Amino acid sequence: MLVRLTQRLLVSLLTLMGTAVLTFVLVNAVPGDVARVMAGSKASPAVIQEIHEKLHLDDPFWLRLARYLGQVAQGDLGRSYVTSQSVSEAILSRFPPTLALATTAVVLWMLLAVPVGVLTARFRGSWLDRTILIFATLSLSFPAFWLARMLQYWLSFKLGWFPVAGLKSFRHLLLPGATLAVLYVGYYSRLIHANMLEVLESPHIRAARAKGLPELPVLFRHGLRNAWIPVVTILGMDVSSLLGGVMFTENVFALPGIGTLAVQSVLNLDVPMIMGTVLFGAAMVLATNLLVDLLYQWIDPRIQTGR
Amino acid sequence: MRTPKMGGCAGLRVACAALFLLLLGTFFTAAAGAPKRGGTLHLGFPEDFKSLDPAFGFTINTMPVQRILFESLLDMDDDNQVIPWAAREWRISADQKTYTLRLQPNLRFSTGRPVVAADYVYSIERILDPKTASLGQSYFSSIRGQDAFRKGQTNHVAGLRAPAPDVLEIDLEQPQFTFRFVLCMVFTAAVPREAVESPNSRFSQRPVGSGPYLIKEYQRDVGYRLERNPHYSRLDTAYVDSVEIMIGGDRTLEAMMFDQGELDMVPDLRVTDYFRYRRHPVLNQRLVMVPMASTDYVFLNNEIKPFDDVRVRRALNHAVNKRRLVQLANPAFPVAKGILPPTMPGYDPNLTDYAYDPEQAKRLLAEAGLAGGFRTQFYYGDSVPHWKRLCMAIAEDWSQVGVHADLIQLSAAAMDDAYTTRHKIPCGYYGWVQDYPDPSDFLDVLLNGEGIVETGCNNQAFYNNPQVNAALKEAGNCVDPPRRNALYGAIEKTILRDAPWIPILHPLYPTVVQPWVKGFKPHPVWLYRYETLWIER
């Protein structure tokens, strides 16, 4: 177990390094002069030159890359070109709102998706199943920015049920969380539905029913547990991408999370901050994948022992 | 001559009349609503300020906030006239080369420390120091000895002196009429050396100034809470007790929060929100169009064929239907006939514009040997929402006369770089906002051929007319405002005849202000002055 974990960690580090190199190459390929963005269109050539010197922007590409990788290897993500803030500090200060939003959203959509997925599998082909299928298709089709703005306009602005924007209390998270939940609930309910259909046909379910177990324990204890593994895999990937920042939703609801930070850093061509947010997102994906692997073993111990 | 002596009875009559006028004045002031102190002003901005340090942050959003945290040496009134501010008196020597400024008594930083003239010397030297890389550097390039200081040959700028704690003297290399406007910019605000150089001060985000407010609370990308500077002594300004600034979202979100009463003012409304307010019978009372002394234009690169031919440039001017463009941007924006915006001294409302005349455009193109038209690349930046719409419409207008423009959108970063590099872009769309109310800020900065350099060139059209260059020099040296404006007026006409630009429109800032916010009056340079506002619910 320990060896496997160590191997996974090493591979993760290499992946992070690869991500860093690739992102650095791409960011530096973007046309435009970061000094101009920082100084504004009215800055004199002398000021632009001074910024170039201050940030070593005229150094050869490989030297800047080597310097950056050396810095990252020491755990230093550098300082923002625009605000001079430490990148690590900026990311850490933005992580709690993103984590809170992601948690709220996951809880909301799973609370809905699990019973809906199980029940539509149990009553396959019924009017309930067909109606849910229509809603699931709609939920999958909504563009995030449109849905966020619509919910904000109608539920917050027109009806006043939720705060319009900002993050002052848990209430401020409900609507952004619900927005994400609407976007994901359709997919997860269908995913659980599909897996449950397969599981409900398996011999152990028939055996449980034959033994006279009530239907709810059959569905949720014996059925859902076996349908859970593919769901956990996908959930892990989705959670990791949410933790890396939810750009549209955070921007519409003015939540100071990783997503808004990433958008701002791209608009400002703030290279250290772009690198930082991308690496953080990558680290989240790697960490969540590791966690999902561990969860598999808890859900189905045969995975660990190879039975 | 003897002064006639006033009789006792007459004196009494005068005293009674004076008392009556005083009472009348008091009555009208009260009726108009005298400023009230107290309350909180709620503002919102889509993104956090890059910096509030007066050496940086030179943007439309940042300046009004900086102006309540700091005090520049001088200020400008509603008529663009220079007035005292941190300096209670200012004098220019007969040779126009030395400025003497006497500071207000009781000026103090928010830390309580008195502000002295040496603080201004330090602050301006800090801006000139290459290590600071301040955007304000070029505005002080006429100060005597700045060059040696910048090159590290001296430790101090010879032309900056503090002969007494309340006296600041600034020597210029040569007379510069616009230096009085530079002294109004927030770059001239005093900053305390001990706070700037303290390793833990984070001065760019939590700067210390001598303005009416200080930053009490700050959370990056979330918001600011500004409260009164307890050491600020002036009573005729800064009426609200605190200012709360929310960061995040966008202007549409802010408009929703405005409707719910959570924000007191929203500037730079999106066009959809602008129409919503304009059409609303009640909310339209809250809509104010704030002039921003700006001109949007298409520049035609005079060094790249076929724009090196004046007939082609004139043809493209004739081909553009500006009235339709304004409808697409915002119908409230004035059409630009010339280069200078309407609030700029020297603006001529009677300028003759190139009429929209596609047939004339075709004739001119035929004269230039381009009867079959030509193909070009037309660039624009993605930073202003309406630019894309306008550029598409302009390209469509040009196509009617046979000119096919391939539209190329650039990020703000790429745009500034590409526009200011020689021989790179045939034509592009841009907007320029004034730094100070003087025609030189447009004509000299943007269209002086002597300022052409290979990179970082503000003359994006690379327009170079020696006659205009000489006239710009003459106008720049003129210190008599009416004559100066007349000279610049003549220069503008010459430039328009040469047609290096197609002036399109003068953008305005549609702004909504709550009915309980009093004292709001757009300023021709600063646009918003939070220090003049008070709350009356």
Side-chain angles (χ1 to χ4, degrees), chain B residues 73-363:
Chain B
L73 281 163
L74 301 173
D75 197 3
M76 277 177 265
D77 66 13
D78 292 340
D79 299 318
N80 287 329
Q81 296 302 308
V82 177
I83 54 171
W85 201 236
R88 65 185 151 119
E89 287 170 26
W90 62 292
R91 212 174 53 237
I92 308 175
S93 63
D95 64 358
Q96 300 280 323
K97 289 192 349 191
T98 301
Y99 283 66
T100 305
L101 301 116
R102 190 172 292 277
L103 302 182
Q104 300 275 4
N106 303 323
L107 272 183
R108 282 174 189 275
F109 289 116
S110 57
T111 54
R113 181 180 51 89
V115 178
V116 291
D119 290 313
Y120 288 94
V121 172
Y122 166 73
S123 304
I124 297 174
E125 283 183 346
R126 175 173 173 254
I127 284 177
L128 284 166
D129 188 342
K131 285 202 286 287
T132 310
S134 164
L135 319 181
Q137 208 180 84
S138 57
Y139 296 101
F140 298 104
S141 58
S142 57
I143 297 179
R144 185 170 60 81
Q146 63 84 26
D147 200 38
F149 173 76
R150 282 176 43 73
K151 287 176 179 160
Q153 293 161 353
T154 55
N155 290 329
H156 294 287
V157 178
L160 283 171
R161 290 184 307 277
D166 65 338
V167 178
L168 175 70
E169 287 179 354
I170 305 174
D171 293 340
L172 305 184
E173 296 278 4
Q174 56 204 3
Q176 185 194 346
F177 178 81
T178 54
F179 195 71
R180 66 198 68 195
F181 300 123
V182 172
L183 294 177
C184 300
M185 297 171 101
V186 77
F187 293 124
T188 64
V191 292
R193 178 195 289 260
E194 62 277 11
V196 174
E197 294 176 3
S198 160
N200 301 318
S201 75
R202 301 193 169 200
F203 196 79
S204 70
Q205 251 59 53
R206 299 194 73 153
V208 177
S210 59
Y213 296 94
L214 54 84
I215 298 175
K216 187 72 178 173
E217 289 165 25
Y218 168 58
Q219 202 183 342
R220 177 137 204 102
D221 300 309
V222 176
Y224 294 76
R225 182 175 172 81
L226 274 50
E227 288 190 359
R228 282 188 186 285
N229 169 3
H231 304 287
Y232 189 76
S233 56
R234 197 192 290 260
L235 292 171
D236 60 347
T237 185
Y239 304 111
V240 295
D241 283 340
S242 56
V243 180
E244 281 194 2
I245 298 173
M246 185 203 87
I247 304 290
D250 56 22
R251 294 298 187 196
T252 298
L253 170 67
E254 286 174 23
M256 288 189 214
M257 297 178 78
F258 176 88
D259 290 358
Q260 294 198 328
E262 291 177 43
L263 291 179
D264 291 324
M265 185 193 291
V266 180
D268 192 19
L269 290 172
R270 289 200 172 159
V271 73
T272 45
D273 289 314
Y274 162 77
F275 278 115
R276 183 165 67 82
Y277 286 113
R278 205 188 72 168
R279 288 170 184 161
H280 195 282
V282 177
L283 294 178
N284 69 7
Q285 306 293 318
R286 300 175 191 172
L287 188 63
V288 185
M289 297 306 282
V290 176
M292 54 187 294
S294 168
T295 302
D296 274 19
Y297 58 91
V298 176
F299 61 86
L300 306 168
N301 192 325
N302 288 217
E303 294 184 335
I304 293 181
K305 283 183 181 301
F307 301 119
D308 56 341
D309 187 329
V310 70
R311 291 168 297 187
V312 175
R313 301 198 298 265
R314 286 178 185 156
L316 293 194
N317 266 276
H318 278 298
V320 172
N321 184 351
K322 294 184 194 176
R323 305 215 171 274
R324 185 171 71 108
L325 295 180
V326 163
Q327 293 299 317
L328 287 170
N330 186 321
F333 292 177
V335 165
K337 291 180 183 174
I339 297 162
L340 302 178
T343 54
M344 175 69 79
Y347 169 74
D348 181 358
N350 301 316
L351 272 179
T352 312
D353 195 7
Y354 288 96
Y356 172 56
D357 186 348
E359 292 310 313
Q360 174 66 4
K362 284 179 191 167
R363 274 193 294 276

Side-chain angles (χ1 to χ4, degrees), chain A residues 30-48 50-51 53-54 79 82-86 89-90 93-94 97 149 152-154 156-160 162-168 172 250-256 260-261 264 267-269 273, chain B residues 46-51 56 58 128-139 150 202 204-205 219-222 244 246-250 252-253 255-257 259-260 262 270 276 382 410-417 420 430 432-435 441 453 455-458:
Chain A
V30 172
D33 183 359
V34 66
R36 275 247 156 238
V37 182
M38 290 168 67
S41 53
K42 296 192 172 185
S44 66
V47 171
I48 300 292
E50 276 148 19
I51 296 173
E53 281 164 21
K54 202 171 160 181
R79 289 192 164 269
V82 178
T83 63
S84 304
Q85 194 185 14
S86 148
E89 196 185 288
S93 72
R94 297 296 200 103
R149 185 64 93 197
Q152 182 185 50
Y153 182 77
W154 288 106
S156 295
F157 179 60
K158 284 287 184 191
L159 298 171
F162 300 96
V164 174
L167 183 53
K168 290 177 185 164
H172 288 78
E250 285 181 9
N251 271 291
V252 169
F253 290 99
L255 297 175
T260 43
L261 182 69
Q264 275 312 320
L267 292 177
N268 290 329
L269 206 57
M273 200 61 91
Chain B
E47 61 178 293
D48 205 342
F49 310 114
K50 286 179 186 170
S51 173
F56 305 99
F58 185 46
L128 284 166
D129 188 342
K131 285 202 286 287
T132 310
S134 164
L135 319 181
Q137 208 180 84
S138 57
Y139 296 101
R150 282 176 43 73
R202 301 193 169 200
S204 70
Q205 251 59 53
Q219 202 183 342
R220 177 137 204 102
D221 300 309
V222 176
E244 281 194 2
M246 185 203 87
I247 304 290
D250 56 22
T252 298
L253 170 67
M256 288 189 214
M257 297 178 78
D259 290 358
Q260 294 198 328
E262 291 177 43
R270 289 200 172 159
R276 183 165 67 82
D382 64 359
L410 297 172
S411 68
M415 180 186 72
D416 282 334
D417 197 27
T420 57
Y430 200 64
W432 184 262
V433 187
Q434 73 168 12
D435 296 329
D441 191 38
V453 284
T455 56
C457 178
N458 280 325

